Amino acid sequence: MEPTLQAQLTHPAMPPPIPWWPPAPGWWLLVIGVLLIALLLPWLLRYARRRQRRQQRRSWRVMADVPTDLPDALWLAAINTRIKQLLIQRGDVAATRLFGEAWLDYLCSRYPGTERQALQPLAADLYRPQVELSQAQRQALLAELRRWVRHHDV
């Protein structure tokens, strides 16, 4: 083309700038999603916390229902059975087949701050015909199991 003809051509007009309002539908969906999350998150967190507390209370009530006037061997067996029932409810069936030191190792491995000595009667004395536990040992075992249940969310 000749330069004079090219100079005579009219250049296309620039399109108008894209307005920022109204935003595209995707932005509306994003804003609605963020608002829903912001409104529902406190409720969901409160619901989860209440559910966890309710489960812990129910778990502790199951262990607290064991009569304290039982002989030591029966009391230990009942406590052990209740813990394993809680684990079954949670879906940890494989752990319920453990006994002795393996059972104690499982309990201690699931909670790093466990006092192994307090839980020792569940491994050593559980299957003995004659078991002698002092009131202090019973209280220590119950206190440690309460901490274990609280930490383990059984």
Side-chain angles (χ1 to χ4, degrees), residues 7 21 38 50-51 62 76 81 112 119 131 149:
W21 192 261
R50 284 181 184 170
R51 184 172 173 230
V62 167
L76 271 176
T81 302
L119 295 176
V131 178
V149 166

Side-chain angles (χ1 to χ4, degrees), residues 62-81:
V62 167
M63 284 195 298
D65 289 344
V66 176
T68 57
D69 58 343
L70 288 174
D72 291 334
L74 292 176
W75 184 80
L76 271 176
I79 291 290
N80 191 52
T81 302

Side-chain angles (χ1 to χ4, degrees), residues 87-88 90-98:
L87 287 173
I88 288 172
R90 186 174 171 261
D92 198 357
V93 178
T96 61
R97 296 185 183 104
L98 299 174

Side-chain angles (χ1 to χ4, degrees), residues 23-41:
W27 287 107
W28 284 109
L29 292 175
L30 181 67
V31 167
I32 290 170
V34 167
L35 285 174
L36 280 175
I37 289 173
L39 291 173
L40 291 178
L41 190 64

Side-chain angles (χ1 to χ4, degrees), residues 9-111:
L9 291 176
T10 58
H11 295 288
M14 292 296 292
I18 298 173
W20 65 273
W21 192 261
W27 287 107
W28 284 109
L29 292 175
L30 181 67
V31 167
I32 290 170
V34 167
L35 285 174
L36 280 175
I37 289 173
L39 291 173
L40 291 178
L41 190 64
W43 181 80
L44 289 173
L45 291 174
R46 190 176 325 125
Y47 174 75
R49 192 157 184 79
R50 284 181 184 170
R51 184 172 173 230
Q52 181 183 15
R53 284 187 200 144
R54 202 170 36 243
Q55 179 67 25
Q56 285 177 351
R57 280 193 303 267
R58 188 173 33 240
S59 298
W60 183 244
R61 247 183 281 134
V62 167
M63 284 195 298
D65 289 344
V66 176
T68 57
D69 58 343
L70 288 174
D72 291 334
L74 292 176
W75 184 80
L76 271 176
I79 291 290
N80 191 52
T81 302
R82 299 294 167 92
I83 294 170
K84 290 188 177 186
Q85 286 172 348
L86 291 173
L87 287 173
I88 288 172
Q89 288 174 359
R90 186 174 171 261
D92 198 357
V93 178
T96 61
R97 296 185 183 104
L98 299 174
F99 61 92
E101 288 298 320
W103 173 235
L104 189 62
D105 290 340
Y106 171 82
L107 291 174
C108 292
S109 69
R110 296 298 183 244
Y111 180 46

Side-chain angles (χ1 to χ4, degrees), residues 75-76 104 116-127 131 133 137-138 141:
W75 184 80
L76 271 176
L104 189 62
R116 190 176 181 93
Q117 188 62 32
L119 295 176
Q120 191 64 37
L122 288 176
D125 299 334
L126 188 59
Y127 301 104
V131 178
L133 290 178
Q137 285 177 311
R138 279 188 177 206
L141 178 62

